Amino acid sequence: MEIYQLKTFVTIAREGSITRASDSLCLSQPAVSSHIKALEEEVGFHLFERNARGMSLTPQGATLLSSAERLLALHREMVEQAKRIRQGLGGQIRLGSNRAPSALLLGKLLSHIAENVPDVDVHVQYGSSMEIEQAIINGELDAGFFSDSGSHNSELLKYPVDSFGVYLAAPSGWVINPAEPDWDTLAKMPWICPAPQSCCGNVAEQLFQQHQFRPAKQINVDHEKVTRSLIAGGVGLGLLHADTALDASAKGELVLVGEEQRKVPVYFAVRSVRQQEPLIAALLNYLNTSI
């Protein structure tokens, strides 16, 4: 029993005619007929019977049809698997992501890998943007998503895949006119700031330089949920990603000060020397064409 015989069997069952099946398969009608004759001789019974409209399955043929379709599907899967192996799309890949800005993009990429490159084992590591970026440079991760930290490393190839806004937020009642804040007054308030090289840390530093002040009191916190809670609790001003800031504002936990302060790019990055590796090249191609 050959694969081509099963393909002919399934095609005739679908088309209901040797003529249409031969056109679909790009074979002569005698060749199609010989495939079915050989298959019938092997199984020991007729698979089709002729009628006024062409060819219809016998009860025995109908019973075998689903098995033939499954075998053809397995054959296609094996061919695709062999193709992926030839192209080097196997093994494992270690991906990094900072949790909030990259979560949706990471989910899309993981779904794509599961559907199109199922032979790859994926390991995901979460961390700050600085941690993910450094892990890729050090070879501890193969690729990853992270927010712009303001650094420029020639070893990395960074593809912009998204961006998000950053807002300055204050405890309710602290700022008399949030739409047009008095920056001299804000400078005297305590500020909750993340690490200097984080995305929000960079935005904070830009604000300090733009308005020419340094907070009288600065509290260092590197977790956005904690920053949100501290602002809502009246501890100080702080910077939040747009989705967090807008949600907290809508719930009355805090007030937003001024307009969106900055759009922060989100990158997918790999080491430049690895961009031509088959699996990494396939992921880059997906991100370039689909996101």
Side-chain angles (χ1 to χ4, degrees), residues 129 146-151 158 197-199 202 262 264-267:
S129 290
F146 56 79
S147 308
D148 183 24
S149 64
S151 67
K158 301 196 297 187
Q197 294 305 312
S198 66
C199 64
N202 284 331
R262 183 188 168 198
V264 178
V266 177
Y267 296 107

Side-chain angles (χ1 to χ4, degrees), residues 112-289:
H112 172 76
I113 292 172
E115 182 176 348
N116 295 280
V117 202
D119 298 321
V120 172
D121 293 324
V122 182
H123 301 271
V124 178
Q125 176 180 316
Y126 292 98
S128 68
S129 290
M130 288 186 295
E131 291 169 340
I132 298 302
E133 185 173 1
Q134 194 59 49
I136 297 171
I137 294 170
N138 295 341
E140 298 163 4
L141 291 173
D142 300 306
F145 294 97
F146 56 79
S147 308
D148 183 24
S149 64
S151 67
H152 300 283
N153 192 301
S154 60
E155 292 184 59
L156 288 182
L157 184 67
K158 301 196 297 187
Y159 286 81
V161 291
D162 200 3
S163 65
F164 60 91
V166 174
Y167 283 87
L168 177 62
S172 298
W174 276 36
V175 181
I176 296 175
N177 185 1
E180 298 180 5
D182 180 349
W183 287 95
D184 290 335
T185 302
L186 296 184
K188 299 173 184 177
M189 297 177 178
W191 283 63
I192 303 163
C193 295
Q197 294 305 312
S198 66
C199 64
C200 287
N202 284 331
V203 175
E205 187 61 30
Q206 290 171 7
L207 285 176
F208 301 154
Q209 292 180 12
Q210 177 184 349
H211 298 284
Q212 300 181 340
F213 75 92
R214 187 67 50 181
K217 181 179 181 181
Q218 189 167 316
I219 304 164
N220 295 318
V221 174
D222 281 336
H223 199 293
E224 188 177 46
K225 288 185 178 179
V226 177
T227 300
R228 174 177 177 168
S229 297
L230 292 177
I231 298 171
V235 175
L237 305 170
L239 292 158
L240 297 171
H241 296 167
D243 54 350
T244 301
L246 295 172
D247 179 65
S249 175
K251 293 178 178 177
E253 298 176 10
L254 44 76
V255 295
L256 303 183
V257 180
E259 300 293 329
E260 184 178 81
Q261 298 299 324
R262 183 188 168 198
K263 280 287 188 184
V264 178
V266 177
Y267 296 107
F268 182 79
V270 300
R271 291 187 66 193
S272 300
V273 295
R274 300 189 60 191
Q275 62 180 301
Q276 298 302 326
E277 293 180 15
L279 181 54
I280 289 178
L283 297 185
L284 291 175
N285 180 65
Y286 166 71
L287 290 168
N288 281 334
T289 58

Side-chain angles (χ1 to χ4, degrees), residues 102-114 286-287 290-291:
S102 308
L104 182 59
L105 293 170
L106 176 64
K108 289 181 178 180
L109 183 60
L110 293 179
S111 296
H112 172 76
I113 292 172
Y286 166 71
L287 290 168
S290 303
I291 295 181

Side-chain angles (χ1 to χ4, degrees), residues 5 31-43 45 47:
Q5 294 171 342
V32 170
S33 297
S34 68
H35 292 178
I36 294 303
K37 182 179 179 182
L39 190 56
E40 288 179 333
E41 288 176 353
E42 184 167 353
V43 299
F45 49 78
L47 298 171

